[in-house]
């Protein structure tokens, strides 16, 4: 029986999550609407979520407590994903960053 879920990164503590794939849109990029919409159907961007958005919504909707154990670098979606968890614990050497704000983008606000 599952009582709680713990999300963590590299066991060596090098990275929790270094962010989303920011490569150009394509059917093979999980953060692209291409490939998510069946052929012939218009993309409704008001309902579409990238991989990080889908994961965050799944965590929020989870009926079990979800704990983020940040054990390394957490940047971009790697830092916003723990915000959807019930609890976050970070290692002393964890490095976190809201990098889009430094570029004038407000995706994390």
């Amino acid at each position: 029986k599952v009582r709680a879920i713990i999300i963590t990164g590299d066991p060596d503590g090098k990275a929790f999550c270094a962010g989303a794939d920011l490569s150009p849109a394509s059917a093979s990029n999980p953060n692209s609407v291409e490939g998510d919409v069946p052929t012939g159907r218009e993309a409704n961007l008001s309902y579409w979520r990238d991989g990080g958005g889908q994961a965050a919504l799944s965590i929020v909707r989870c009926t079990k407590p979800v704990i983020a154990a940040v054990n390394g670098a957490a940047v971009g979606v790697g830092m916003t994903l723990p915000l959807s968890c019930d609890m976050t614990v970070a290692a002393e050497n964890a490095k976190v960053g809201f990098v889009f704000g430094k570029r004038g983008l407000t995706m994390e606000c």
Side-chain angles (χ1 to χ4, degrees):
K1 183 176 176 180
V2 176
R3 298 180 64 162
I5 299 165
I6 300 174
I7 300 171
T8 192
D10 178 7
D12 294 328
K14 295 177 183 170
F16 172 73
C17 178
D21 182 356
L22 299 178
S23 61
S26 72
S28 63
N29 182 342
N31 292 307
S32 170
V33 72
E34 293 181 34
D36 278 356
V37 180
T39 305
R41 184 182 296 171
E42 285 188 44
N44 185 341
L45 295 179
S46 64
Y47 293 110
W48 183 81
R49 298 289 182 263
D50 65 0
Q54 291 176 9
L57 287 173
S58 296
I59 291 168
V60 168
R61 292 176 180 151
C62 185
T63 59
K64 305 290 182 178
V66 180
I67 302 167
V70 180
N71 61 334
V75 182
V77 72
M79 193 54 236
T80 56
L81 187 77
L83 297 176
S84 61
C85 295
D86 298 296
M87 179 179 181
T88 299
V89 179
E92 286 185 29
N93 63 341
K95 295 184 180 177
V96 300
F98 291 97
V99 297
F100 289 109
K102 290 182 179 179
R103 289 169 176 75
L105 303 172
T106 59
M107 298 181 340
E108 294 157 333
C109 293

